[in-house]
Amino acid sequence: MENKKNEQDRASYNQLIIQKEDQMDELTIEKRKIGEAIQTLEEDLHRGFQNVAMLNDEAARFGNVENNRLQRHDEEQSRIFRQLLQESNEQIEIGYHVGRRK
């Protein structure tokens, strides 16, 4: 009788282990997907800001006096977006580690 109970407990624990491993796998997959999405967003923003810089340079050639102010503004926006993306990556990493510990 005791043997049967031990086997049932062992089977129960094995099932819980499998469930936790599956959850960890799902968490890893989701982390990777989010990381890829953020990286794609970062690349898109970088290309966009490069295009804006090229337009500002072109406007400067045609004598646009506002160009320096616009260029500084665009550079500041680019810096802010990079910082936000970096903070997002850090938050995702922290959340991932918290989830794995649970």
Side-chain angles (χ1 to χ4, degrees):
M1 184 73 168
E2 183 68 28
N3 229 4
K4 187 170 181 152
K5 175 148 177 33
N6 286 342
E7 287 178 25
Q8 287 175 340
D9 288 345
R10 190 173 296 126
S12 225
Y13 289 130
N14 284 338
Q15 185 63 33
L16 287 173
I17 289 170
I18 290 170
Q19 287 175 350
K20 290 300 175 186
E21 287 174 346
D22 288 346
Q23 288 174 347
M24 288 176 61
D25 290 344
E26 288 176 24
L27 186 61
T28 300
I29 290 168
E30 290 302 314
K31 178 188 174 232
R32 182 182 48 79
K33 286 180 182 178
I34 292 171
E36 288 172 355
I38 288 176
Q39 183 176 357
T40 300
L41 176 60
E42 190 172 358
E43 291 168 358
D44 289 345
L45 286 171
H46 180 72
R47 277 193 300 274
F49 280 111
Q50 280 181 328
N51 288 339
V52 168
M54 287 177 11
L55 291 172
N56 284 340
D57 289 343
E58 187 175 326
R61 282 187 279 158
F62 291 107
N64 186 341
V65 249
E66 291 259 329
N67 185 52
N68 287 336
R69 186 187 65 76
L70 289 173
Q71 199 165 17
R72 283 192 306 275
H73 179 283
D74 294 339
E75 288 169 358
E76 180 65 17
Q77 290 297 311
S78 176
R79 185 189 64 74
I80 289 169
F81 280 120
R82 282 193 311 270
Q83 183 178 357
L84 288 172
L85 288 171
Q86 181 180 359
E87 290 171 4
S88 295
N89 276 329
E90 290 169 2
Q91 290 298 319
I92 289 167
E93 196 66 35
I94 289 168
Y96 173 74
H97 288 296
V98 167
R100 283 189 58 95
R101 276 188 246 143
K102 284 184 180 179

